[in-house]
């Protein structure tokens, strides 16, 4: 059977492309704009296709509360990059966008890109844990992710939509498409 055309008319031969999901977040330097710039940079990654993106969500900070609210989103990809290479590409985008390590854990940041899931991989190695260990506890991840992948099975946990039902909606609101405040 011939391969079926996929996103952007690309050939998605069996075994060559893998789904991956990424959380995006920012609370510095115009967070809405930073997340939009990150979507653009991610869409340009080699051997990777951005196939879905959530809306933007305004969320309370998880860490120190004396920092601005975040703008969060989620993106779905098909990629030929192995998990470590895909994660390295995410870290490179963060670096190019001016990310530095926050002074405090979960502190403010220009951009944060977290690899949430990669195909059905379960990996627990230094520098790479899949699925992302905090995914099932964070409303700022689950609400955007459920917009694009509610039926996604997270290995060892449950479907994204069911995980979302188990977290509180406190401190999170969906932003309007344009013009809503994010700073």
């Amino acid at each position: 059977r011939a391969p079926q055309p996929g996103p952007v008319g690309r050939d998605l031969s069996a075994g060559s492309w893998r789904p991956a999901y990424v959380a995006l977040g920012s609370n510095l330097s115009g967070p809405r704009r930073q997340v939009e710039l990150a979507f653009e940079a991610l869409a340009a990654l080699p051997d990777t296709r951005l196939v879905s993106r959530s809306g933007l969500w305004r969320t309370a900070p998880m860490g120190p509360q004396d920092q601005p609210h975040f703008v969060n989103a989620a993106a779905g990809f098909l990629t030929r990059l192995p998990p470590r290479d895909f994660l390295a590409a995410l870290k490179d985008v963060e670096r190019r966008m001016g990310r530095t390590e926050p002074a405090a854990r979960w502190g403010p940041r220009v951009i944060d890109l977290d690899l949430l899931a990669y195909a059905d991989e379960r990996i627990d190695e230094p520098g790479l844990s899949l699925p992302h260990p905090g995914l099932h506890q964070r409303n700022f991840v689950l609400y955007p992710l459920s917009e694009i992948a509610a039926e996604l099975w997270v290995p060892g946990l449950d479907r994204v939509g069911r995980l979302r039902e188990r977290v509180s909606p406190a401190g999170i609101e969906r932003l309007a498409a344009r013009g809503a405040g994010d700073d």
Side-chain angles (χ1 to χ4, degrees):
R1 183 173 155 201
Q4 299 299 309
V8 199
R10 303 283 186 207
D11 174 11
L12 301 181
S13 301
S16 61
W17 293 86
R18 296 283 181 248
Y21 294 88
V22 173
L24 300 84
S26 173
N27 72 339
L28 294 176
S29 302
R32 177 188 287 264
R33 181 73 182 135
Q34 295 301 325
V35 170
E36 292 294 346
L37 289 170
F39 274 126
E40 291 174 19
L42 294 170
L45 291 177
D47 295 314
T48 300
R49 301 291 173 256
L50 174 64
V51 294
S52 58
R53 57 176 278 179
S54 73
L56 303 180
W57 292 78
R58 179 183 169 98
T59 64
M62 183 171 89
Q65 297 299 298
D66 61 341
Q67 62 179 313
H69 278 70
F70 278 80
V71 171
N72 291 98
F77 298 89
L78 290 173
T79 186
R80 289 182 174 163
L81 298 175
R84 279 208 173 271
D85 293 349
F86 189 69
L87 179 62
L90 298 180
K91 296 304 172 194
D92 185 57
V93 169
E94 288 180 336
R95 183 189 53 73
R96 286 186 284 126
M97 290 185 67
R99 163 118 187 222
T100 58
E101 287 306 310
R105 183 172 187 193
W106 297 317
R109 59 202 68 208
V110 171
I111 194 67
D112 187 33
L113 302 174
D114 288 331
L115 179 55
L116 302 173
Y118 182 99
D120 58 358
E121 295 283 331
R122 291 183 82 169
I123 300 172
D124 189 11
E125 300 172 357
L128 179 61
S129 294
L130 290 172
H132 189 284
L135 182 154
H136 65 290
Q137 301 167 319
R138 299 175 177 171
N139 65 2
F140 60 89
V141 170
L142 290 168
Y143 275 69
L145 185 58
S146 69
E147 282 187 352
I148 62 170
E151 294 302 312
L152 174 67
W153 176 257
V154 181
L157 295 171
D158 205 339
R159 298 206 181 280
V160 167
R162 288 195 204 116
L163 294 171
R164 176 186 164 164
E165 293 170 2
R166 296 178 196 149
V167 297
S168 169
I172 185 168
E173 65 177 303
R174 193 165 194 294
L175 292 173
R178 292 181 192 257
D182 63 353
D183 298 317

